[in-house]
Amino acid sequence: MKRVVVTGLGCITPVGNNVDAFWQNLTAGKHGFGEITRFDASGLKMKIAGEVKNFDPGLYMDKSEIRRTDLFARYALAAAAQAVDESGIVGSAAPGRLGVYVGSGIGGMTTFTAETEKLLTGGPQKISPFFIPMMIANMASALIAMKHDARGPNLPVVSACATATHAIGEAFRAIKFGFADAIIAGGAEATVNPLAMGGFINCMALSTSDDPDSSSIPFDRRRNGFVMGEGAGVLVLEEYGHAVRRNAKIYCEISGYGNTCDAYHITAPHPEAAGSAEMIRLAMKESGLRADEKLYINPHGTSTPLNDKAETLAIKKAFGELAYRIPISSTKSMTGHMLGAAGGAEAIAAVKTLETGVVPPTAGYKEPDPDCDLDYVPNTARKCDIDKALSISLGFGGHNAGIVFNKLRI
């Protein structure tokens, strides 16, 4: 079996449109929340979101491509371009050995709503001929493959909020077992629009706070829902020997992956957290955790009452007493919930924590919850000597995914 390393990172997020800006704002504890500017949100109960700001798709694609591409795919193409450029993988890997695993929880929601309005106001003849290819969730992965001549395995995972973590984990497995030399992996989402916001509000998933500073507060007793975020997070995973032979920059190694399902409820996590705890055990077993290693966890941490309680329980079940000594911080306290893109951005945060030895904080944390009694690194980044980082994602439908990164061992 092959070893798998990370050689490129790229992101578009509510707190920065490249990895440097993203990481600088995370470690400073700065969130990206504010009143929605993209549409008139006066009719919604929740008027705050984590919008991507000052995004210029023209840096990554020409005007004709932009017109034929939904916003979620533009985010994906931009993040992938950053990761690919940093890694230098294109031209180094044979096209048939370079894959793309970039998913989306929902896909082209912006296109879907726009074309539905055309249907209702002008009839079916007004629907764009690009409606279907712009809307379908696999198109980001397909467009990235076209852009970079990646003819190897292509798997656009769709598992709700666990999408990007599953995509990275499956990419890891594909390289580990020899099906590719490198894979561009992650997720993208663009759902700050009236239909998606209304749907999440009505299923009582979004925060009802009108204060940006206290609307996404994972593990805090006052939490009452998540803030909608958007963007993309993409990594280049590469077989270790392949990366060494071309003298690539190696951030870290990916060494474990867990994948389970609660098989319990369409939106709620299992109250006993059996599935998510088992996912953590599986990921850590594959990676291994030596007695002298220090672990960081970037949790799902959505700021919903049920998720944060169940996830805390899962961590305790998986790690026992060790759970109380692990720094845990939810970067959703600053990015909001980027849905299918969340695991990609959070994987980057985990990689940067390993690289820098800085654990980003859980911003906005003020009131402890007896059900959430672990070390959530409140409000201020912490310097730590971290050897391993676990990134966790949990999705509607009970999907549980976790990936483990560790410092490279020569």
Side-chain angles (χ1 to χ4, degrees):
M1 290 184 289
K2 310 289 187 180
R3 296 173 67 185
V4 183
V5 295
V6 177
T7 58
L9 306 173
C11 65
I12 303 293
T13 78
V15 293
N17 294 337
N18 57 64
V19 172
D20 287 345
F22 169 72
W23 186 240
Q24 181 178 353
N25 284 317
L26 287 189
T27 53
K30 294 182 179 179
H31 66 68
F33 310 136
E35 290 193 6
I36 294 168
T37 63
R38 196 164 296 158
F39 62 90
D40 181 3
S42 59
L44 296 178
K45 294 179 182 177
M46 174 59 166
K47 300 174 178 60
I48 291 171
E51 295 179 322
V52 166
K53 304 156 193 71
N54 304 314
F55 173 62
D56 181 3
L59 296 173
Y60 308 98
M61 27 191 334
D62 63 35
K63 291 181 179 179
S64 63
E65 288 178 299
I66 293 170
R67 287 195 299 270
R68 300 192 303 268
T69 307
D70 187 87
L71 184 58
F72 92 99
R74 294 176 208 161
Y75 291 156
L77 282 160
Q82 294 173 21
V84 166
D85 287 350
E86 182 183 37
S87 72
I89 192 63
V90 172
S92 298
R97 300 285 297 174
L98 175 61
V100 183
Y101 283 29
V102 175
S104 177
I106 297 176
M109 179 66 83
T110 302
T111 295
F112 182 87
T113 56
E115 297 304 316
T116 300
E117 289 176 3
K118 290 182 185 179
L119 172 66
L120 295 176
T121 57
Q125 67 276 8
K126 294 295 184 181
I127 298 171
S128 168
F130 296 106
F131 169 45
I132 299 301
M134 288 175 68
M135 176 194 69
I136 50 181
N138 70 300
M139 197 50 63
S141 197
L143 290 169
I144 291 167
M146 295 174 201
K147 178 73 75 174
H148 302 292
D149 194 27
R151 300 179 225 163
N154 195 300
L155 184 66
V157 175
V158 178
S159 56
C161 309
T163 289
T165 302
H166 274 133
I168 295 165
E170 294 300 324
F172 158 66
R173 289 277 171 83
I175 297 171
K176 180 175 181 176
F177 288 100
F179 296 105
D181 292 329
I183 297 180
I184 304 160
E189 208 78 83
T191 48
V192 181
N193 60 54
L195 184 60
M197 293 287 295
F200 278 106
I201 288 169
N202 289 347
C203 75
M204 297 185 291
L206 294 191
S207 171
T208 56
S209 172
D210 58 4
D211 176 9
D213 294 333
S214 60
S215 54
S216 181
I217 46 174
F219 305 107
D220 189 297
R221 188 181 63 82
R222 301 166 298 146
R223 68 190 186 278
N224 60 16
F226 69 78
V227 171
M228 184 75 79
E230 61 174 352
V234 175
L235 295 77
V236 173
L237 306 188
E238 188 171 353
E239 192 273 320
Y240 171 66
H242 190 276
V244 169
R245 286 190 294 275
R246 67 184 190 88
N247 197 32
K249 173 183 177 179
I250 295 176
Y251 277 99
C252 61
E253 184 171 6
I254 177 169
S255 55
Y257 170 45
N259 178 0
T260 67
C261 185
D262 288 350
Y264 169 72
H265 192 272
I266 57 172
T267 57
H270 195 290
E272 298 303 318
S276 49
E278 179 63 11
M279 171 272 294
I280 295 170
R281 291 190 196 102
L282 290 170
M284 296 308 302
K285 181 179 179 180
E286 184 173 20
S287 175
L289 181 63
R290 298 193 308 234
D292 61 340
E293 287 183 314
K294 295 181 175 64
L295 177 68
Y296 160 67
I297 297 177
N298 189 302
H300 193 51
T302 58
S303 185
T304 59
L306 293 179
N307 174 90
D308 294 4
K309 177 181 177 180
E311 190 171 13
T312 297
L313 179 59
I315 293 169
K316 290 179 183 178
K317 284 188 170 184
F319 291 103
E321 287 301 312
L322 176 61
Y324 290 91
R325 301 193 297 275
I326 300 171
I328 302 164
S329 62
S330 174
T331 46
K332 286 186 181 72
S333 62
M334 294 166 280
T335 65
H337 195 346
M338 295 165 63
L339 305 183
E346 290 156 15
I348 292 171
V351 170
K352 293 295 290 183
T353 295
L354 280 175
E355 181 191 36
T356 64
V358 176
V359 174
T362 300
Y365 184 93
K366 291 182 179 179
E367 297 186 22
D369 181 342
D371 291 323
C372 302
D373 58 348
L374 300 178
D375 177 6
Y376 303 113
V377 193
N379 303 309
T380 303
R382 184 185 301 167
K383 189 72 175 176
C384 294
D385 183 18
I386 299 297
D387 300 301
K388 264 190 169 66
L390 167 66
S391 181
I392 296 172
S393 294
L394 313 175
F396 277 5
H399 299 289
N400 305 306
I403 46 178
V404 183
F405 303 92
N406 54 255
K407 289 182 177 179
L408 184 67
R409 300 168 185 156
I410 306 300

